[in-house]
């Protein structure tokens, strides 16, 4: 199934339009199944989308206490650290809407029950995913309705970086990642098998620095070289871009 590409005039329009799209997707999932499941991403674009959701007049069309929140990756830092994706997501949206705390599933912090054992933190998240899994997928993760991802300038997505063992992982659903080129260096990430269990994968990125990895991923690059190329949804894969990030795509 080929990916869909949508190009917006600017990073600002991209974030606002993706927020509107996300609200609609969550409302539709809840209409169909009573609940919705979303995987959040870190990074500037991912957080800006959540801020636009918070500001949207349509925001509360979503029954926020019937949304399951997961993360695609997390920086392995103490709870509440401003660099944690969870901290930024809570400040951008989660603390402003009526989420059900039992349905918010952050990845462990480095001062939590696993201490500084990032392998144990990754294994625990795999157990969290398995506990909420549905038989519909051939990996032990929930059927995520929408899985949001950013893209790095060298093609990383979540915390899967080019040429690493984690991007080649084809069984486990999570990975502990060390010495990441993008600081902070230690992270927990979903793997491609977990990402591919999502109904829809939305890769959202902006800026001229992403034009090369976007063109490479959509041009058939191998996931080992451009991890974002391996992020495909079961039913749909969307690349949501601004003009600068789309600049090297064949018109
Ligand atoms: C992280 C993100 C990471 C991010 C990309 C894009 O924890 O850093 O998960 O994958 O989404 O690096 O980040 P920008 O949107 O800021 O370019």
């Amino acid at each position: 199934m080929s990916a869909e590409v949508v190009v917006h005039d600017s990073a600002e329009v991209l974030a606002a339009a993706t927020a509107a799209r996300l609200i609609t997707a969550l409302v539709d999932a809840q209409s169909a199944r009573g609940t919705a499941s979303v995987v959040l991403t870190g990074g500037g674009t991912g957080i800006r989308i959540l801020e636009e959701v918070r500001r949207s007049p349509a925001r509360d069309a979503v029954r926020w206490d019937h949304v399951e929140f997961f993360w695609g990756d997390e920086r392995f830092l103490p709870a509440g650290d401003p660099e944690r994706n969870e901290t930024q997501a809570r400040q951008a949206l989660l603390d402003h809407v009526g989420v059900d705390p039992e349905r918010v599933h952050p990845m462990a912090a480095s001062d939590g029950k696993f201490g500084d054992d990032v392998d144990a933190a990754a294994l625990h998240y795999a157990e969290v995913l398995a506990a909420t899994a549905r038989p519909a997928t051939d990996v032990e993760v929930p059927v995520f309705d929408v899985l949001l991802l950013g893209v790095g300038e060298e093609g990383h997505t979540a915390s899967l970086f080019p040429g690493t063992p984690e991007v080649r992982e084809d069984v486990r659903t999570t990975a502990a990642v060390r010495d990441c080129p993008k600081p902070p260096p230690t992270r927990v990430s979903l793997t491609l098998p977990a990402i591919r269990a999502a109904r829809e994968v939305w890769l959202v990125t902006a800026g001229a620095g992403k034009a090369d990895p976007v063109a490479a991923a959509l041009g058939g690059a191998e996931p080992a070289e451009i991890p974002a190329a391996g992020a495909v949804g079961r039913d749909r894969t969307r690349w949501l871009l601004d003009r600068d990030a789309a600049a090297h795509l064949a018109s």
Side-chain angles (χ1 to χ4, degrees), residues 2 7 23 37 48 82 96 120 131 133 142 155 210 219 224 233 238 242-243 246:
S2 62
V7 182
I23 288 169
S37 170
R48 192 180 300 163
H96 303 271
K210 310 300 176 74
R238 280 189 166 129
D242 75 342
R243 289 204 181 288

Side-chain angles (χ1 to χ4, degrees), residues 3 8 16 65-66 69 73 84 100 112 121 126 147 175 182 208 220:
H8 293 288
D65 59 346
H66 284 65
F69 292 92
D73 71 338
R84 271 179 62 87
D100 175 352
L147 189 146
K182 176 179 182 182

